[in-house]
Amino acid sequence: MTKVAKITISLPEEQVERVREAVARSEATSVSSYVSAAIAEALVRPGPETEKDENALAELVAELLAEHGEPSAEAYAWADKVLSLSED
């Protein structure tokens, strides 16, 4: 059995009511399980650092395309071969 710790948190009344309504609709077995599932989902979701890295990569790609243009068909074929994406 998973170890649990009991904590006290403060939430806006509207959120508490919505969670209780979700439990009443059998969308969760309890308020605790609802909150636990929401926290678990938030912990695996990409955070600001991931978004920052993705934005930096997108900016780099945009700069490369602006400077050098779109890759040629030959360049794509080479990349596919190197990455083993094609049978050639």
Side-chain angles (χ1 to χ4, degrees), residues 20 27 60 69 87:
R20 287 181 175 153
E27 293 174 14
L60 174 62
E87 297 176 15

Side-chain angles (χ1 to χ4, degrees), residues 34-46:
Y34 186 97
V35 173
S36 179
I39 291 171
E41 182 180 326
L43 291 174
V44 297
R45 189 178 316 133

Side-chain angles (χ1 to χ4, degrees), residues 5-7 9 12 17-18 21 26 31 34 43 57 67 70 73 78 82:
K6 188 171 184 171
I7 63 169
I9 61 170
E17 185 59 33
R18 291 180 69 185
E21 289 170 358
S26 298
V31 171
Y34 186 97
L43 291 174
L57 180 59
E67 185 175 337
E70 288 286 331
W78 174 84
V82 169

Side-chain angles (χ1 to χ4, degrees), residues 1-65:
M1 181 173 183
T2 303
K3 269 185 132 176
V4 296
K6 188 171 184 171
I7 63 169
T8 301
I9 61 170
S10 299
L11 299 171
E13 297 242 352
E14 180 182 301
Q15 287 180 353
V16 173
E17 185 59 33
R18 291 180 69 185
V19 171
R20 287 181 175 153
E21 289 170 358
V23 172
R25 290 188 305 270
S26 298
E27 293 174 14
T29 57
S30 66
V31 171
S32 291
S33 67
Y34 186 97
V35 173
S36 179
I39 291 171
E41 182 180 326
L43 291 174
V44 297
R45 189 178 316 133
E49 287 302 313
T50 301
E51 292 172 12
K52 184 175 137 185
D53 292 344
E54 289 172 356
N55 290 338
L57 180 59
E59 289 175 15
L60 174 62
V61 170
E63 289 174 21
L64 289 171
L65 290 174

